Amino acid sequence: MIEIDKLEKAAKARAEAEFLELIEIDSPSWGEQEIAKALLGKLAGLGIEVQQDEAGNIYGYLPGTASLPPILLSAHIDTVEPSKGKKAIIEPDGTIRSAGAAVLGADCVAGLVEILQGIRLVQASGLPHRPVEIIFSVAEETYCEGLEKFDFSKIKSQDSYVLDLTGKIGAAARRAPTLISFSATITGRAAHAGMEPEKGINAIAIMAGLLARIPQGHLDEETTCNVGIIQGGRMINIVPESCTIKGEIRSYNHEKAVGIARDIERLAEEAAAAAGAVSEFSCKVHIHSYETPTDSTAVTRFLNACQNLRLPGELTETFGGSDQNPLSQHGLQGLVLSNGMYKMHTTEEYTTLEDLWQGSRLVAALILSEV
């Protein structure tokens, strides 16, 4: 990577300017039109063939100059709230923080910049490189909804790298969970709570019994369950006829997560029937678990690149989701790479100029790798 490191000063300056440019573009989920426009121009300027689908996802293809298999690089272009009016300040030590009440947007502008800069480094080096596919997705923060609408038939790669993990450059998650949301409603019978409460069927009371039977927290080392919302009742003098709970299940074992959802549905039916009420249950699998083998080419290439760059090369796991979940469902073995973002999903989010540089170097090394 000597050729790449010679470009350090100019590359750092360009990464800084590009990061500051992109984070100031408002990009809420399903409202990413302006940042998508900017990215389409940047990709086209790099000689990358670009397309944008109806959902807004951007696909790019950079032909290779070496006879090596392609790899897919990905980052999302939407930002969590509060995101309007994002601005950054750069501290003397190179730390980049939010200058206001919004998040910084390093999640996932850091990943976008590192992919763009990594490609620029490769092109500037003049070294032979593999073909590269790029997906800049919309609506990742809403359970990867953007990639649900992507046409995967065009994908040529078998290995993928998603730049969307918190932490120092050189770490990568190879495992992530299934995430299922669920909703259960108990419908009883309303009655006047003072005049004739015995004629009512109290849905909140039934739901309280149901909640006591639903295991929550860590169910084992690979599974969690949580009820986060309870809604019920209209007035204090009415026996509540309806009560709804909403929650989520996460597990590295997909079948186990599905089984827990079915158990909750059964428990709701039993609780309602015992009190003469009725239950209604629904659930949705938002992302499907995956585990990338340690002997896969995606892992081997990452570890070799980290060794060459003197980066940690740490393989880890995440209990959150990313676009690697749907990529894995479509046959791509891959990793979620740390892109140097910290305290993500908070207004204290930050990154550093050094992380942007190291992330760019890692992207370049993956593209140039002979593995």
Side-chain angles (χ1 to χ4, degrees):
M1 296 294 289
I2 295 176
E3 294 84 352
I4 299 299
D5 290 343
K6 289 179 180 178
L7 306 169
E8 178 176 357
K9 185 175 181 180
K12 281 186 173 180
R14 183 154 193 168
E16 175 183 340
E18 192 161 61
F19 182 86
L20 296 177
E21 171 196 355
L22 292 176
I23 64 118
E24 291 193 4
I25 303 175
D26 288 342
S27 53
S29 300
W30 295 120
E32 307 95 339
Q33 296 86 348
E34 288 303 312
I35 194 169
K37 182 179 179 181
L39 291 167
L40 286 167
K42 290 177 183 293
L43 291 170
L46 292 172
I48 295 173
E49 304 165 18
V50 292
Q51 305 170 21
Q52 187 175 25
D53 63 21
E54 291 185 1
N57 298 299
I58 295 171
Y59 170 77
Y61 181 74
L62 178 67
T65 57
S67 299
L68 294 167
I71 58 170
L72 174 69
L73 302 172
S74 181
H76 63 86
I77 66 177
D78 60 324
T79 308
V80 296
E81 300 298 340
S83 67
K84 189 173 183 179
K86 302 186 303 298
K87 288 188 179 295
I89 55 174
I90 302 178
E91 299 179 348
D93 65 355
T95 300
I96 310 175
R97 300 185 185 277
S98 172
V103 297
L104 175 63
D107 180 13
C108 197
V109 171
L112 298 172
V113 169
E114 289 160 15
I115 291 172
L116 292 170
Q117 292 296 323
I119 291 171
R120 290 191 183 104
L121 289 173
V122 168
Q123 293 179 332
S125 74
L127 297 171
H129 64 82
R130 70 180 65 252
V132 180
E133 294 184 285
I134 296 167
I135 295 178
F136 289 160
S137 66
V138 298
E140 186 273 347
E141 296 290 5
T142 56
Y143 296 118
C144 305
E145 288 179 331
L147 280 193
E148 289 182 7
K149 304 178 184 298
F150 185 78
D151 177 13
F152 281 91
S153 66
K154 66 184 69 176
I155 298 299
K156 307 172 182 65
S157 302
Q158 296 181 340
D159 296 343
S160 54
Y161 299 96
V162 177
L163 281 75
D164 192 20
L165 187 68
T166 186
K168 295 293 291 182
I169 306 298
R174 67 178 190 90
R175 183 164 78 147
T178 285
L179 193 157
I180 300 175
S181 66
F182 65 86
S183 174
T185 298
I186 301 293
T187 302
R189 184 188 305 123
H192 194 290
M195 302 296 185
E196 46 187 12
E198 65 281 351
K199 292 185 178 180
I201 299 177
N202 191 316
I204 291 178
I206 299 168
M207 189 64 78
L210 172 60
L211 283 170
R213 299 182 66 191
I214 297 176
Q216 295 187 60
H218 266 110
L219 309 191
D220 54 40
E221 70 278 0
E222 63 177 7
T223 310
T224 62
C225 180
N226 181 66
V227 174
I229 296 175
I230 304 176
Q231 299 168 321
R234 289 181 292 149
M235 297 181 66
I236 62 172
N237 64 346
I238 299 175
V239 174
E241 65 180 334
S242 179
C243 185
T244 297
I245 59 170
K246 296 180 180 181
E248 65 157 40
I249 303 156
R250 300 187 188 214
S251 182
Y252 289 130
N253 185 316
H254 178 76
E255 289 71 25
K256 183 182 293 186
V258 172
I260 292 168
R262 294 302 169 218
D263 287 344
I264 294 172
E265 180 179 23
R266 174 182 54 79
L267 291 172
E269 291 174 349
E270 292 174 356
V278 295
S279 68
E280 182 178 348
F281 182 87
S282 64
C283 65
K284 180 178 180 180
V285 177
H286 294 282
I287 55 174
H288 195 293
S289 62
Y290 71 89
E291 182 171 351
T292 301
T294 56
D295 61 354
S296 65
T297 56
V299 170
T300 300
R301 185 182 300 111
F302 166 74
L303 294 176
N304 287 349
C306 287
Q307 183 177 18
N308 291 338
L309 297 176
R310 297 183 180 179
L311 293 171
E314 177 188 1
L315 293 177
T316 182
E317 55 195 31
T318 176
F319 216 55
S322 76
D323 279 337
Q324 183 56 48
N325 289 77
L327 291 175
S328 292
Q329 283 300 105
H330 287 274
L332 285 96
Q333 289 191 329
L335 298 171
V336 187
L337 305 183
S338 296
N339 62 16
M341 60 185 181
Y342 308 89
K343 295 189 177 181
M344 52 189 277
H345 292 200
T346 77
T347 55
E348 297 179 357
E349 181 189 16
Y350 70 95
T351 188
T352 73
L353 294 175
E354 182 63 20
D355 280 307
L356 294 177
W357 165 242
Q358 295 297 344
S360 301
R361 292 177 75 222
L362 179 55
V363 167
L366 293 171
I367 297 171
L368 293 171
S369 171
E370 295 181 1
V371 176

